[in-house]
Amino acid sequence: MKISIIGIGAVGAAVATAVAGTGLAHEMVLFDRDGLRARAAAEDLGHAAAFSYDIKISAANNYRAMRGSDIVIIAAGANQKPGETRTDLLQKNVAVVSDIIPRVMANVDAKRVKLIIVTNPLDVMVMLAQKLSKLPASRVIGTGTMLDTARLRTILGRTLGVSTRAVHAYVLGEHGDSSVVAWAAASVGGLPLDEFCRQTKNPITAAARQTIEYRVHNAAYEIIRGRGATWDGIGAAVADLLRSIVNDERRILTVSTVDGAGREKLAMSLPRIVGADGVVASLHPKLSSGEATNLRKSGKIIRANYDAI
Ligand code: NAD
């Protein structure tokens, strides 16, 4: 399995570390327009690999080194500065992704390569990458709300006093401020959330739900304020997505991929089955009418941002 990563900043470096830690790749190529940064990361990671899995890690100074890649991960581009939204990055990162995709496609096998998109604003970048690459939508996969979903499951698990793994709850829509918590579809230990709360006598009030949503929506802003950027969570999310693809695990992940065509074309996050062929099916959880309305609004925001580029 050969994996190339483009953009070796805070996120790309964390992704490279997490990917190396899966033991699934035999070769990893790191590319950044700052060649010194990519070379330093490849060197450092190569030393780290001596303590774990055998993997050939190199820094590339051109796209030819990506030939033969099974998966190309795109984490290049501007990140949010404190107070900036993901949408504020739109025009800058349209330029970055528009520069990268044709160069990647000139060097990979379009019949089998898969692109994983991490750059924000995520959903618009997925639409742009799919359009420019002309790959089937199932093979252009954005990490979407995987991280938001992880944040929700973590907070809910802590609130309910159960393992995060027992919580099945999703954040849908835009990977951004309009994302929607699908409370109506949430379950814990096989019980609908409300029933779990009733049986454990641990109600989650409407006010508590609002607080949880606020924390999910603001997690990135808080982390950026304290650390300058977010990287560990997204690194782990990409590694998880990669495992599901490479091992054909068919996990259900809230990834973003393009559905529809023409004016109906839209990438947003839904629970989707992810396996060796990429996204193999999409699911539509039962939502409350308010959640369904908010999800439609979220889709309209993504589409308006796409139309603005
Ligand atoms: P960073 O500034 O630390 O790194 C960005 C890197 O991209 C830099 O090393 C830069 O040299 C490189 N780069 C820029 N243009 C390039 C080009 N045309 N070709 C090759 N390399 C190029 O930023 P970061 O914190 O690593 O964030 C990267 C992106 O990931 C941002 O858009 C950020 O918003 C996004 N992000 C997404 C998620 C998610 O859940 N999807 C989470 C965190 C961050």
Side-chain angles (χ1 to χ4, degrees):
M1 177 69 41
K2 176 170 174 176
I3 293 174
S4 295
I5 305 177
I6 304 176
I8 312 298
V11 169
V15 165
T17 304
V19 167
T22 65
L24 292 172
H26 78 276
E27 183 174 359
M28 195 156 66
V29 172
L30 309 185
F31 178 84
D32 196 288
R33 69 175 174 197
D34 178 346
L36 197 61
R37 181 180 269 191
R39 280 197 297 282
E43 191 79 351
D44 205 2
L45 269 164
H47 304 158
F51 298 100
S52 55
Y53 298 101
D54 270 335
I55 174 171
K56 184 178 157 207
I57 302 173
S58 59
N61 49 20
N62 60 59
Y63 281 75
R64 279 193 306 283
M66 292 174 206
R67 285 185 182 166
S69 295
D70 300 284
I71 295 179
V72 178
I73 301 169
I74 296 166
N79 61 5
Q80 291 164 262
K81 304 294 171 277
E84 266 187 325
T85 69
R86 295 174 181 92
T87 311
D88 291 332
L89 309 171
L90 184 65
Q91 299 304 345
K92 276 186 233 168
N93 287 346
V94 164
V96 171
V97 170
S98 302
D99 168 53
I100 290 171
I101 298 292
R103 294 173 199 260
V104 170
M105 294 314 296
N107 287 286
V108 294
D109 179 358
K111 289 199 188 69
R112 65 184 180 98
V113 74
K114 292 178 192 75
L115 304 182
I116 293 181
I117 311 296
V118 180
T119 302
N120 277 320
L122 191 280
D123 305 282
V124 178
M125 295 303 130
V126 170
M127 294 172 75
L128 182 64
Q130 195 269 327
K131 181 178 175 216
L132 296 175
S133 67
K134 300 189 179 71
L135 290 175
S138 58
R139 286 197 273 126
V140 182
I141 309 167
T143 47
T145 54
M146 281 184 75
L147 195 47
D148 315 67
T149 291
R151 288 168 179 155
L152 172 67
R153 291 175 57 223
T154 307
I155 298 170
L156 257 180
R158 284 180 195 160
T159 307
L160 298 170
V162 294
S163 159
T164 303
R165 286 160 189 253
V167 179
H168 293 273
Y170 298 114
V171 179
L172 309 177
E174 183 194 22
H175 171 57
D177 295 342
S178 73
S179 66
V180 178
V181 175
W183 291 108
S187 69
V188 183
L191 300 177
L193 176 62
D194 287 340
E195 178 60 17
F196 177 89
C197 291
R198 198 186 63 74
Q199 289 189 21
T200 56
K201 300 185 177 50
N202 188 3
I204 300 197
T205 60
R209 286 180 194 220
Q210 262 181 14
T211 306
I212 291 171
E213 284 187 27
Y214 178 84
R215 288 176 63 197
V216 170
H217 282 132
N218 283 281
Y221 293 109
E222 292 293 320
I223 296 168
I224 289 167
R225 215 166 40 175
R227 267 188 128 176
T230 76
W231 57 83
D232 286 322
I234 186 63
V238 172
D240 204 35
L241 173 55
L242 191 77
R243 267 191 296 269
S244 199
I245 295 171
V246 177
N247 296 334
D248 196 22
E249 288 179 7
R250 297 191 162 230
R251 305 264 312 285
I252 295 175
L253 304 172
T254 48
V255 291
S256 179
T257 195
V258 174
D259 294 309
R263 291 292 310 155
E264 301 298 312
K265 181 173 156 174
L266 184 66
M268 65 148 122
S269 288
L270 289 171
R272 302 184 195 264
I273 304 173
V274 181
D277 295 327
V279 172
V280 294
S282 300
L283 308 175
H284 299 270
K286 232 179 182 164
L287 302 175
S288 69
S289 65
E291 289 163 3
T293 304
N294 288 341
L295 190 59
R296 275 194 297 277
K297 276 191 200 154
S298 187
K300 281 188 182 153
I301 288 169
I302 296 166
R303 182 68 218 199
N305 286 336
Y306 180 71
D307 288 343
I309 66 180

